[in-house]
Amino acid sequence: MRRLLYILLLAVFPLPANAQEVTYRGGLLFEPVHADGVGLNQRIYVIAKDQFGFMWFGTDYGLLRYDGYRTQRINFSDKQIAGIVNTIGIESMAVARDTSLWIGTSRGLFRLDLQTYDITAPKRFQNVNVRALLYQDDSIIWLGTTEGLYRYNSISGTRRYYNTINTQ
């Protein structure tokens, strides 16, 4: 039955005359990625690529940066924030046009400057479980949290909470 289906498909959709088999030579195209000498076998919740070509992995044990050759943790100058970002689950990320990476965690929202690697945390979202992020225009960040939906202006520092009353 399967052979008949194959013959029927070839009759309806014949292969082009110049079709040939593609063969890859020289080993695997992919290789294991390591973080701090340990195999990257953590759960990866989110992946983002910045303007500089780096890939960022949000894992269940913090934030990792991949440069195409190796994966590493970033050593942040603020040790308190570094202790949070490098040990808890990163659930969401959004790359902004102003060379910053917004990071959503179960302990709040963080902004990482991708040029200086300075990290800050808006006080308005401290200890808020941020599950989803969307960067819009030049300053608006939409946050999906366990409390609901927020619209945050990163320049003015204002936020608006959306619920069933004010969205009708």
Side-chain angles (χ1 to χ4, degrees), residues 74-122:
I74 304 300
N75 294 319
F76 300 111
S77 57
D78 186 325
K79 298 301 178 193
Q80 182 180 3
I81 292 178
I84 295 171
V85 174
N86 284 335
T87 59
I88 62 171
I90 307 295
E91 299 185 19
S92 57
M93 290 188 290
V95 178
R97 291 186 197 145
D98 67 349
T99 66
S100 61
L101 177 68
W102 289 90
I103 304 163
T105 72
S106 60
R107 302 262 312 268
L109 178 68
F110 299 90
R111 181 191 172 274
L112 173 64
D113 186 312
L114 295 173
Q115 293 178 321
T116 64
Y117 294 111
D118 289 335
I119 191 162
T120 55

Side-chain angles (χ1 to χ4, degrees), residues 129-163:
N129 189 345
V130 180
R131 306 287 304 254
L133 289 173
L134 175 68
Y135 184 79
Q136 178 186 12
D137 299 328
D138 290 330
S139 61
I140 304 299
I141 298 143
W142 291 89
L143 292 89
T145 72
T146 53
E147 300 171 2
L149 180 65
Y150 288 93
R151 182 179 185 265
Y152 176 63
N153 186 317
S154 62
I155 294 174
S156 68
T158 58
R159 72 176 179 174
R160 180 167 183 203
Y161 175 67
Y162 290 88
N163 56 31

